[in-house]
Amino acid sequence: MAFGVIKSLALFLLVLNFCMYITVAAISGWALNNAIDHEYVTGSKGSVPVGFSFSPLFFSIGNEATGFLVIFSLIAGAAGAGSCLSGLHHLRVWTAESLASSASAAATAWALTLLAMGLAWKEVHLHGRSQSLMALESFVIILSVTKLMYMILIQAGFFGGQYFSSGETHIATTIAEPQKGAKTLSSV
């Protein structure tokens, strides 16, 4: 009974995380596109005004932390969506071998999400940001918690003894078929 609850709760968190990672990547992509399309205002004769620097991390819609937040959120969104696909494979086969790849992908995505979360807190502290960046910050902060809960759930299934190795699965499916050259009881 507990096995089905863990697996269904892990599936719910996985689908939730996937949707949220796609949303984070979309908002981050929009903000990055907005920054790339931003036109820099130059002085007379096309010269750069004194004290004005061309930073690749300049975002007119936020504050000083926005550029870093957008870039790290975009990377975390892509890695997180990929780790969710690995998690779907793990939930389908539910073996100890698939747990290793799923857990390592989830841990990598969670680490990148924690980096983006730290930058989101910095951006909240500095103030002066748009509504879409507030949504991005919220999604990144919530994702850092839900991804951790998912990782705890898939590890709890392992420690609960609910996993099978691929060798056990192979033996269970091939035991009914006699191998070539094997003697049967009637031929002995």
Side-chain angles (χ1 to χ4, degrees):
M1 180 69 180
F3 172 66
V5 171
I6 288 176
K7 201 170 177 181
S8 62
L9 189 56
L11 179 64
F12 169 74
L13 282 174
L14 190 65
V15 170
L16 177 69
N17 286 343
F18 182 73
C19 293
M20 290 178 69
Y21 274 122
I22 294 297
T23 305
V24 162
I27 294 172
S28 300
W30 168 82
L32 186 61
N33 188 39
N34 188 21
I36 290 171
D37 290 343
H38 179 73
E39 295 180 17
Y40 293 99
V41 179
T42 59
S44 62
K45 299 181 185 175
S47 63
V48 178
V50 177
F52 187 79
S53 65
F54 286 105
S55 171
L57 298 176
F58 174 74
F59 286 80
S60 61
I61 58 173
N63 54 34
E64 293 83 10
T66 302
F68 296 105
L69 171 68
V70 167
I71 289 173
F72 277 98
S73 295
L74 190 59
I75 294 169
S83 74
C84 290
L85 295 177
S86 173
L88 282 175
H89 171 70
H90 169 63
L91 287 178
R92 186 178 62 84
V93 296
W94 201 257
T95 62
E97 288 82 8
S98 68
L99 172 66
S101 64
S102 178
S104 65
T108 303
W110 184 59
L112 289 169
T113 306
L114 286 180
L115 285 171
M117 183 194 69
L119 291 164
W121 282 115
K122 183 65 174 177
E123 185 164 321
V124 168
H125 177 70
L126 291 176
H127 302 290
R129 62 218 191 270
S130 68
Q131 293 290 328
S132 57
L133 291 177
M134 288 181 187
L136 178 63
E137 297 160 3
S138 302
F139 276 113
V140 168
I141 292 168
I142 293 168
L143 264 172
S144 64
V145 175
T146 58
K147 192 66 169 182
L148 177 64
M149 290 175 19
Y150 166 74
M151 291 184 345
I152 290 171
L153 272 176
I154 62 172
Q155 295 297 330
F158 177 74
F159 289 116
Q162 297 295 328
Y163 286 101
F164 302 101
S165 70
S166 62
E168 292 172 355
T169 307
H170 178 71
I171 291 171
T173 58
T174 59
I175 200 159
E177 301 173 9
Q179 296 179 359
K180 290 184 179 179
K183 295 182 180 179
T184 60
L185 289 177
S186 61
S187 63
V188 176

